[in-house]
Amino acid sequence: MGSSDTGLNNDDDSATVSDESNTETDSDMRTETDDECQSSHPPSVFVNDEKVLAFHSGQYYEAKVIRALYEENKWGFFVHYTGWNKTWDEWVGTDRLLKHTEENVQKQKALKERLEMEMKTKAVQAPQMKLKNSGVSRGRKRKNDNHNKEKDLVPLEKLVNLQIPPTLKKQLVDDCEFITHQSKLVKLPRTPNVQDICKKYCEYRSKKDVMMPESTAEIMKGLRCYFDKALPAMLLYKSERQQYTYAIRDDVSPSMVYGAEHLLRLFVKLPELLVHANIEEETLTELHQKFVDFLRFLQKNQSAFFLSRYHVPEDSEANTIKQGH
């Protein structure tokens, strides 16, 4: 999940079907011992199968309590986010759940609106992507096709609705787990870095398309610019900020230090950034196609581009992470 629902868009079929059979199985996992011990601990605020609002990545999402468990003197709840793939299911504490009431739904909407306003403000500061000789005709369909354009107009939100492949979604989940729950960090500098990856993509496209459009190189250049601007503003967890101040010095660009792990986070934020950027509709369509292809490229090279393990920070870094939580 991300800024516009994730972090991640969830329009693919696999991400929109809830597995109700798992609900029954997990509910049935309660044993007689669980029932016998109920009287020894305080009652749960939430119960199995209850519809709730769960806090995740800065926003509240509709969810369902799959299982409630009292352990180590506190209640924990295994929740399923409504409409999302089961890979997003997780254990949360009482502090991350709200009752699904009209009042709390209004709080949810107010928080979402505030975050969207903040995102729009940041988007204004983002650089504009410009394409040269992209092959997209600008002079066609002016007068006679005005009616068809209005009829077939696609909302900008859909033009940049990026579907992140399932394996890369899992990469985002692991990324969050390593940093927020295991107090680890991506070891910097990364090899390959973002600049290297963009260069490798251009080489990959040139081999597949002998006459590679100049726009591909322009888009990769624009992507690096977006990354350099967005990283300190919206792509870092709080516990990563001190590492950033150490790593980015002497006018070094973040795209030369950070790698695929942080680049993938940009694609969670990118759709909303592009919606609020002043980019022509036809250009947005081409950007969407290129970004989808680029995500496939990342997926194809996932084992080479992404770390399978994050590094345990030194004492000074570890103290910063604990304070960040």
Side-chain angles (χ1 to χ4, degrees):
M1 298 183 185
S3 63
S4 54
D5 290 342
T6 56
L8 299 179
N9 293 305
N10 60 337
D11 294 329
D12 58 307
D13 292 338
S14 64
T16 58
V17 179
S18 300
D19 189 346
E20 296 297 336
S21 62
N22 275 8
T23 300
E24 296 177 1
T25 302
D26 287 325
S27 298
D28 292 338
M29 290 174 66
R30 294 179 57 83
T31 64
E32 292 181 3
T33 303
D34 292 333
D35 295 332
E36 292 172 358
C37 293
Q38 284 184 354
S39 60
S40 64
H41 53 64
S44 172
V45 180
F46 305 96
V47 298
N48 289 352
D49 298 330
E50 181 177 354
K51 187 177 180 180
V52 296
L53 295 175
F55 190 78
H56 186 100
S57 299
Q59 295 190 48
Y60 281 99
Y61 298 88
E62 288 193 356
K64 181 179 181 180
V65 175
I66 302 299
R67 188 185 180 205
L69 178 67
Y70 189 79
E71 194 172 48
E72 297 182 356
N73 297 321
K74 61 182 178 180
W75 280 101
F77 305 92
F78 192 68
V79 298
H80 170 73
Y81 293 93
T82 305
W84 291 82
N85 190 283
K86 291 184 296 182
T87 56
W88 291 100
D89 293 1
E90 63 175 340
W91 285 98
V92 300
T94 307
D95 59 327
R96 283 181 54 188
L97 297 181
L98 291 177
K99 289 285 185 179
H100 197 284
T101 63
E102 182 61 31
E103 180 182 359
N104 287 333
V105 169
Q106 292 304 317
K107 289 181 181 180
Q108 175 197 29
K109 292 180 179 178
L111 177 60
K112 183 177 180 181
E113 290 174 359
R114 180 172 64 81
L115 290 174
E116 287 176 349
M117 286 300 296
E118 292 177 357
M119 186 65 71
K120 289 178 183 178
T121 302
K122 292 175 181 177
V124 172
Q125 302 171 353
Q128 302 298 309
M129 288 190 179
K130 297 180 180 180
L131 304 184
K132 297 180 181 178
N133 303 324
S134 63
V136 178
S137 176
R138 305 299 182 191
R140 300 175 185 173
K141 304 180 181 179
R142 291 287 176 89
K143 296 180 180 179
N144 297 333
D145 292 345
N146 282 341
H147 175 71
N148 290 335
K149 279 189 175 182
E150 293 175 0
K151 180 179 178 181
D152 299 331
L153 188 63
V154 179
L156 294 182
E157 290 83 355
K158 291 188 178 181
L159 286 174
V160 291
N161 185 16
L162 297 173
Q163 295 297 314
I164 297 180
T167 57
L168 294 183
K169 285 184 180 180
K170 178 62 166 55
Q171 188 77 45
L172 286 167
V173 174
D174 292 343
D175 177 52
C176 179
E177 171 69 21
F178 280 135
I179 293 173
T180 63
H181 295 156
Q182 298 185 25
S183 298
K184 294 182 179 181
L185 296 172
V186 173
K187 191 172 181 62
L188 300 177
R190 285 287 290 114
T191 303
N193 58 39
V194 171
Q195 183 171 292
D196 295 332
I197 293 171
C198 291
K199 182 178 179 181
K200 288 177 183 294
Y201 176 73
C202 288
E203 294 172 351
Y204 161 76
R205 290 310 315 173
S206 65
K207 290 179 181 178
K208 296 197 68 173
D209 306 322
V210 179
M211 299 297 292
M212 183 186 74
E214 186 180 346
S215 62
T216 299
E218 286 294 318
I219 290 174
M220 289 298 101
K221 180 179 179 180
L223 186 64
R224 292 198 306 273
C225 289
Y226 261 86
F227 180 82
D228 289 337
K229 294 288 185 180
L231 181 76
M234 63 183 72
L235 302 183
L236 295 175
Y237 289 99
K238 187 176 181 179
S239 57
E240 294 179 298
R241 294 197 176 280
Q242 183 174 349
Q243 183 192 39
Y244 171 83
T245 60
Y246 290 148
I248 305 303
R249 293 181 176 181
D250 302 324
D251 296 324
V252 175
S253 300
S255 57
M256 297 181 67
V257 177
Y258 288 81
E261 298 79 18
H262 291 78
L263 178 60
L264 184 57
R265 296 182 198 175
L266 175 63
F267 280 87
V268 177
K269 307 286 187 180
L270 198 55
E272 190 164 354
L273 287 176
L274 293 177
V275 164
H276 299 299
N278 185 23
I279 301 177
E280 294 180 6
E281 184 175 317
E282 289 177 297
T283 304
L284 276 176
T285 302
E286 183 173 0
L287 284 175
H288 176 267
Q289 294 171 348
K290 292 292 185 183
F291 288 151
V292 168
D293 187 64
F294 185 78
L295 285 170
R296 293 197 192 103
F297 174 73
L298 288 182
Q299 183 184 30
K300 182 178 179 181
N301 296 277
Q302 190 167 352
S303 61
F305 289 169
F306 291 87
L307 291 173
S308 58
R309 296 180 181 179
Y310 286 16
H311 104 106
V312 178
E314 297 176 1
D315 291 341
S316 59
E317 292 178 290
N319 289 334
T320 302
I321 291 178
K322 290 178 181 178
Q323 293 171 7
H325 292 304

